[in-house]
Amino acid sequence: MAYRYDNDLEFLGQIESEDLEDLVYCLTHNRDGKVRYTEGLTTSDDYKKYYPDHKQYWKLVAAEIQRFGANSIVTKLRGGKGVKYKEVLTDVCDKMKVNYNKDSSVQKIENNLLMKILSDSIEHISPEDLKKLAESTGVKNTSGITTEVILGIFQAAFRAGSFKSYQLTLIFVNAVMKALVGRGLSFAGNIALTRTMAILTGPIGLAITGLWTAIDIAGPAYRVTIPSVIQVAVLRQKFLYEKQGEEVALMRTKFESYI
């Protein structure tokens, strides 16, 4: 297993070990919590030496994503190197019927994937739960609220590229990951997510979890690449926007101290 330099995965080298834990778990364990037969990360010398300090072997983590996204025979011919992340991402998008432009940046394609996840997640929730969700995301007038309006709010947040988009991503992906890998995001509770997170542990959360549990992900590779790509997308949002949220919170605290 060898890392193929990939500009779209290099940021993982700046992610803290504890935040890489969920991604490593996706790559190494199935939904039942058992080690995957097809994984190669836990048998590597660096993993055995440094675990759970994942940052020490982040390139092996990235290489495992690349390997799962590639044909095994072709990987052997490449000297153990898989395909670049963008190819893994677009393959996942094709599988999940995501609308995207192949010439777009990885971040934009990931945003399209996240929007599809959000859309699929709220499509079947009740009008009452939809209203609660709208209220929790700051919508003042929820009279006649529709799925389209909620999705419009989310799309605006993603287009703006902000801490708010990171919050929304965490909220939904946390519920989706419980269905896909049997547990939510370990770092989801480390940030102020308003009361939306509480709502996502109630009936809405159960509806989302039920929807994604029922999805048949054909092929063992997709059972790895789909949750792993979602994890990478979340980590990229965290890398880009979490500091922005911390700065806003600090400014708010300073302001409140003056009044």
Side-chain angles (χ1 to χ4, degrees), residues 68-82:
F68 270 114
N71 179 287
S72 58
I73 295 176
V74 176
T75 298
K76 288 182 179 179
L77 294 175
R78 289 198 191 101
K81 295 182 179 181

Side-chain angles (χ1 to χ4, degrees), residues 11-12 19 23 187 231-239:
F11 82 98
L12 292 177
D19 291 338
L23 176 57
F187 56 81
Q231 288 283 359
V232 171
V234 172
L235 287 173
R236 196 184 312 277
Q237 293 250 346
K238 180 179 176 64
F239 176 70

Side-chain angles (χ1 to χ4, degrees), residues 36-52:
R36 299 184 188 278
Y37 292 116
T38 51
E39 65 88 22
L41 190 57
T42 63
T43 59
S44 68
D45 291 338
D46 282 351
Y47 180 95
K48 293 175 180 177
K49 181 178 180 180
Y50 295 112
Y51 177 89

